Amino acid sequence: SFRAFGQIIVGAKSIESVVLEGDGVGHEQIVCLQKFLYTNTTLRGINFTDTKLDRSSSMLLTDFLSGNSLLRVLDLSSNSGVDDDSIETVLTAISLGGSQLSSLNICDAHFDGVEDLIGDNGSITTAGVRTITAFISQTPSLVTICLKMRSLNDEGVRALSDVIGGKDCKISRLEISGTFGDDGMQCIAEALKSNRSLRTIDVGNSLNLSDAACHAILEVASVNANTSWKQIMASNNTLRSIYLKSQPPPLLVSQDIRNALRNITNVDPIPTLKQKVWQHLDSNIEDLSYTKLESQHMPHLLSFVTERGGINSLFRLISSRNNIPILFSHPTPERQHMESIMNKIALENATLRAMLESERKFNDNLYKENNSLRSLYEGDIADDETVATTIVTPLLPEVAQNRRCLCCRRGGPLSKLWECFR
């Protein structure tokens, strides 16, 4: 009957999703569907739930997966035969096919309650988890991820957080269950500081998850009156829901933390970054010096305050003495550029001034030497004052006509007196 069904649907162009569920689906049944899958060009989703899919049967899917670029949804849930090799075969084929997968669901079989955390690992080991996280990191089109595996430990969650913190991340829903604890969730909290897409985090079974990790999530996701400026700048503005499910006893997450996480889900609407910033600025508007804003931020700050709080808030901002350093003391980029040029010119002027002073002193020394040589050339003159008067006297035009020669005592024009002096 399954073979007949497979023959009937060969060539069907309206089938976009196939769900295969139950232990009646195994290698033979996939062989019956192989021709349909290979020739289909419209299938966008395929689901294997609680089937006998294993290493050999997954090989039958490679032609379909590597040849279908339209596939968007892959669900491999509760298939006890799916191991590391099966995972690698399927994900490698999808990568080769170039499909822009948007939803990935991989879950261990018989991994429903907290009691399933204790005992042997599932068929997917840590090596399989590394294969999955590597595929996720190379598939930026993913929007929904559900990973529920016993081998999903702190290392695996850390690899997921690297993807979540990336600038190209589009993941909006993340469901994880495993043997991870505080270390893994703290990595998620750190990734949330730069994430701009995640809306929902669903934490199922986990080990050793305590208040510390949950508090780290709360610091990033929630804002209150005591939140610092630094925390606001590092806060997440897209997360809408955090669900924390079962834990094996003893419970390490307090009820207060659970309530706080639940309150994030209940907040409607979730405050945006602008709302968080304004709430903080409005409470501290008379002293924003600690924000270390620079001059290029001032026009945006003044415009933002005016838009949110009006003229009264703007007046409170600019009239506070505490805000003077950030409003008026920071030089503009143009002023900094001109200041460097002026400093260079001032240094060159100082150098030229020193050279001029040195030249002046050199000229003064030459002048003195010339005078000394001249005196020697003119002969011995006993009275230096008389010589000085003799030299200077002909050079005073205002009294030149009334001077008398010192040697012959004759009066007359300056030219004649000078000839007598010579």
Side-chain angles (χ1 to χ4, degrees):
S1 59
F2 206 94
R3 183 177 294 105
F5 171 73
Q7 293 174 350
I8 292 174
I9 62 176
V10 171
K13 297 181 179 180
S14 59
I15 299 177
E16 294 188 355
S17 178
V18 172
V19 178
L20 302 173
E21 184 174 356
D23 58 6
V25 179
H27 186 277
E28 294 181 0
Q29 286 70 31
I30 295 177
V31 169
C32 296
L33 294 176
Q34 194 171 12
K35 186 176 181 180
F36 159 72
L37 294 174
Y38 183 73
T39 58
N40 184 274
T41 58
T42 60
L43 201 61
R44 299 172 63 87
I46 189 165
N47 183 328
F48 291 89
T49 301
D50 198 21
T51 67
K52 292 182 179 180
L53 183 69
D54 56 12
R55 186 181 311 178
S56 61
S57 55
S58 63
M59 294 292 294
L60 301 175
L61 300 173
T62 55
D63 290 341
F64 158 67
L65 295 174
S66 60
N68 188 335
S69 61
L70 297 178
L71 190 66
R72 296 294 180 268
V73 179
L74 176 66
D75 192 332
L76 302 176
S77 300
S78 302
N79 301 287
S80 58
V82 172
D83 57 7
D84 295 347
D85 292 335
S86 305
I87 292 295
E88 185 173 6
T89 298
V90 170
L91 297 184
T92 300
I94 292 175
S95 298
L96 292 175
S99 63
Q100 302 296 311
L101 205 65
S102 61
S103 179
L104 178 65
N105 188 342
I106 301 178
C107 303
D108 270 339
H110 312 297
F111 190 48
D112 299 325
V114 294
E115 65 278 359
D116 297 323
L117 285 171
I118 311 301
D120 297 334
N121 289 333
S123 55
I124 302 174
T125 69
T126 53
V129 171
R130 283 193 290 269
T131 300
I132 295 169
T133 54
F135 173 81
I136 292 173
S137 66
Q138 298 167 6
T139 311
S141 58
L142 282 168
V143 176
T144 302
I145 295 177
C146 178
L147 301 178
K148 298 180 180 181
M149 297 169 287
R150 295 172 183 83
S151 296
L152 183 59
N153 53 19
D154 287 328
E155 178 187 354
V157 174
R158 189 179 300 112
L160 280 176
S161 67
D162 291 339
V163 178
I164 293 171
K167 62 179 181 179
D168 296 328
C169 178
K170 298 177 182 178
I171 301 171
S172 63
R173 182 178 182 86
L174 177 65
E175 296 184 46
I176 51 176
S177 288
T179 52
F180 56 86
D182 283 354
D183 289 345
M185 289 306 296
Q186 285 176 346
C187 290
I188 294 290
E190 190 66 27
L192 285 174
K193 294 179 180 180
S194 56
N195 178 271
R196 296 295 178 267
S197 63
L198 201 58
R199 299 291 189 273
T200 302
I201 298 178
D202 190 325
V203 181
N205 303 330
S206 60
L207 282 178
N208 304 321
L209 189 63
S210 69
D211 284 357
C214 296
H215 186 69
I217 297 285
L218 284 172
E219 284 187 345
V220 179
S222 62
V223 173
N224 52 50
N226 298 323
T227 304
S228 68
W229 176 255
K230 184 178 180 180
Q231 289 174 322
I232 289 177
M233 292 296 99
S235 65
N236 180 279
N237 308 299
T238 59
L239 194 63
R240 298 293 184 265
S241 303
I242 302 176
Y243 299 103
L244 186 62
K245 294 185 179 177
S246 305
Q247 284 184 280
L251 297 179
L252 301 178
V253 180
S254 65
Q255 190 60 43
D256 290 340
I257 293 293
R258 290 175 178 272
N259 292 337
L261 292 173
R262 191 177 299 113
N263 288 337
I264 294 177
T265 305
N266 295 334
V267 173
D268 187 27
I270 298 295
T272 64
L273 177 59
K274 286 186 176 181
Q275 291 172 333
K276 294 177 183 179
V277 169
W278 173 242
Q279 179 183 357
H280 183 83
L281 291 182
D282 189 36
S283 302
N284 303 275
I285 200 166
E286 294 179 356
D287 185 6
L288 300 179
S289 57
Y290 60 90
T291 59
K292 298 182 180 180
L293 295 173
E294 299 181 359
S295 56
Q296 61 265 31
H297 302 141
M298 291 304 106
H300 303 287
L301 173 64
L302 297 176
S303 175
F304 181 75
V305 171
T306 304
E307 175 189 350
R308 293 282 173 166
I311 297 300
N312 291 335
S313 296
L314 180 63
F315 179 76
R316 289 172 58 201
L317 172 68
I318 63 177
S319 63
S320 174
R321 296 176 61 88
N322 297 322
N323 292 327
I324 290 178
I326 65 170
L327 287 174
F328 305 107
S329 296
H330 291 295
T332 62
E334 293 79 8
R335 179 177 175 181
Q336 288 179 329
H337 177 66
M338 291 301 299
E339 186 177 359
S340 64
I341 295 177
M342 295 302 295
N343 289 338
K344 183 178 180 180
I345 294 175
L347 181 61
E348 293 176 352
N349 287 341
T351 303
L352 292 174
R353 191 178 297 110
M355 294 173 61
L356 182 61
E357 186 67 24
S358 176
E359 190 70 20
R360 184 180 292 114
K361 291 181 180 180
F362 179 73
N363 289 338
D364 288 343
N365 291 334
L366 285 179
Y367 180 76
K368 291 178 181 179
E369 290 178 5
N370 287 339
N371 282 342
S372 299
L373 292 173
R374 183 176 182 180
S375 298
L376 293 173
Y377 177 76
E378 292 172 349
D380 296 331
I381 301 176
D383 190 356
D384 293 340
E385 184 178 354
T386 303
V387 175
T389 304
T390 303
I391 296 173
V392 175
T393 298
L395 301 177
L396 300 176
E398 68 276 7
V399 292
Q401 302 298 329
N402 300 321
R403 283 294 185 184
R404 291 182 178 274
C405 181
L406 293 177
C407 55
C408 63
R409 307 305 294 173
R410 291 184 302 173
L414 181 61
S415 59
K416 292 184 177 181
L417 294 179
W418 181 249
E419 290 295 330
C420 183
F421 171 74
R422 293 180 61 190

